[in-house]
Amino acid sequence: MIIVAGWIRLRAGAREDYLAGCRPVIEAARSAPGCLDFTLSADPIDPERINVFERWESDAALEAFRGTGPDEDQTSAIRDAQVNRYRIAAVEPA
């Protein structure tokens, strides 16, 4: 299993438009083969931050879904980001 998680920091005031533009990507990801979960969400404390969480069955499923990334308008809104890929060996109930 692959988890992609982290955060994106946007310029001030850009978060709502950025998230609205991501809705089609979220919908497409959730219906993609091998996608177990996918969300981009507003951070409840930091008004310039979006939290990233994706869960995929495999690297192959993730790579099959990946496109070119955010469009130019979205890219121009990003000030900083830290998003990593994690390879999970086991999953247990919490």
Side-chain angles (χ1 to χ4, degrees):
M1 179 181 304
I2 304 300
I3 292 178
V4 176
W7 52 265
I8 300 169
R9 189 167 317 282
L10 304 172
R11 70 175 186 275
R15 185 171 71 182
E16 295 312 312
D17 286 343
Y18 188 96
L19 285 172
C22 290
R23 185 179 177 103
V25 173
I26 296 167
E27 291 170 344
R30 288 183 180 179
S31 65
C35 181
L36 303 171
D37 196 8
F38 191 106
T39 191
L40 302 169
S41 59
D43 186 272
I45 297 172
D46 184 341
E48 297 175 2
R49 178 176 155 150
I50 291 174
N51 297 312
V52 176
F53 182 80
E54 304 175 31
R55 195 163 53 103
W56 296 88
E57 288 179 349
S58 65
D59 280 305
L62 172 61
E63 295 306 322
F65 171 75
R66 284 284 185 243
T68 58
D71 66 28
E72 190 174 316
D73 287 339
Q74 287 180 317
T75 300
S76 69
I78 297 172
R79 289 189 354 209
D80 195 13
Q82 183 178 341
V83 180
N84 295 297
R85 183 183 304 199
Y86 302 88
R87 286 173 176 67
I88 308 303
V91 177
E92 303 169 355

